[in-house]
Amino acid sequence: MSERRSREDRIAADLESIAAQLREGEATLYGYDVELASDGRVQRGGVACAGGWFAFEFDERGRR
């Protein structure tokens, strides 16, 4: 297995763990949406979880 694949597998496992904690109420989601005119939306936030803090940004601008 390549080093890149191992890193991707580790991140996937971390995200699965965070998702499970959110579903079980063991993590807290902090987030907000930002409307950007007609270009779309950006969602930003973070999750306080057992592993610390996970920050995210989903940029939907330009998606059609």
Side-chain angles (χ1 to χ4, degrees), residues 15-30 46-50 54 56:
L15 292 174
E16 289 168 1
S17 174
I18 292 168
Q21 291 175 53
L22 281 169
R23 281 192 293 273
E24 296 165 8
E26 297 173 357
T28 304
L29 173 66
Y30 300 92
V47 178
C49 57
F54 172 75
F56 63 85

Side-chain angles (χ1 to χ4, degrees), residues 34 36-42 58-64:
V34 178
L36 299 172
S38 62
D39 289 342
R41 182 176 62 176
V42 175
F58 296 109
D59 189 339
E60 299 174 4
R61 292 175 294 182
R63 290 183 77 188
R64 304 269 184 245

